[in-house]
Amino acid sequence: MKERDGLWQPYPVEYKRGRPKEHTADALQLCGQALCLEEMLCCEIPEGALYYGEIRRREKIMFTPELRQEVKELLMEMHRLYQRCYTPKVRPGKGCNACSMKELCLPKLMRGKSVSEYLRRGMEVDP
Ligand code: SF4
């Protein structure tokens, strides 16, 4: 929005139902969103926030060079997997129940047999 007059500063806020976690996945997701907004709006976004519904609090996240680099490395890894047509196996966990990607990810399918195993068994001939 470089052609817009006035003072403005995008501030991404990601809403989560639960509470802060041990891992950095939420911060990485938010940083990825900030990188997209920076690209779209031609601006710099130094920070954002994660809002956790269970504790009803915002947690400020600084988009440090290290966090940005981690996001970029994960995206490059994702592209490498995509080029290899490889879908990593997921380990379904209790976080899956509240995940907005559940209907696309279908983590329960990972518990079943692979397609090749299913076909191999179907083609076996009883002696
Ligand atoms: S549903 Fe898929 S994307 Fe969501 S938490 Fe489970 S494994 Fe991860």
Side-chain angles (χ1 to χ4, degrees):
M1 297 203 300
K2 58 187 172 196
E3 63 276 352
R4 295 262 176 111
D5 291 334
L7 295 173
W8 53 271
Q9 175 62 56
Y11 194 92
V13 179
E14 171 71 18
Y15 282 72
K16 298 289 182 194
R17 282 194 223 166
R19 51 180 51 247
K21 303 162 187 101
E22 302 273 315
H23 54 69
T24 57
D26 293 347
L28 289 164
Q29 179 191 10
L30 183 68
C31 186
Q33 292 164 350
L35 292 175
C36 293
L37 286 170
E38 286 181 341
E39 190 84 14
M40 288 166 59
L41 304 174
C42 301
C43 65
E44 281 184 31
I45 304 177
E47 67 179 67
L50 294 164
Y51 176 86
Y52 289 101
E54 269 187 37
I55 59 169
R56 297 184 181 194
R57 290 274 180 281
R58 272 188 185 190
E59 193 174 274
K60 187 161 82 171
I61 303 294
M62 300 303 297
F63 302 132
T64 62
E66 294 77 19
L67 188 60
R68 290 167 182 267
Q69 186 58 31
E70 198 175 342
V71 171
K72 287 175 188 169
E73 283 168 13
L74 287 168
L75 290 173
M76 288 189 312
E77 174 69 13
M78 187 188 75
H79 279 286
R80 281 194 290 273
L81 293 171
Y82 186 72
Q83 279 167 359
R84 286 171 45 206
C85 300
Y86 176 73
T87 305
K89 288 204 183 323
V90 297
R91 189 176 299 166
K94 59 179 183 177
C96 296
N97 294 331
C99 178
S100 58
M101 298 299 289
K102 192 170 144 192
E103 297 306 316
L104 292 172
C105 176
L106 300 173
K108 279 185 184 164
L109 288 182
M110 285 294 163
R111 290 198 186 122
K113 295 182 183 79
S114 69
V115 172
S116 57
E117 174 70 9
Y118 174 83
L119 290 173
R120 192 185 61 74
R121 286 183 170 236
M123 310 258 291
E124 277 178 2
V125 181
D126 287 334

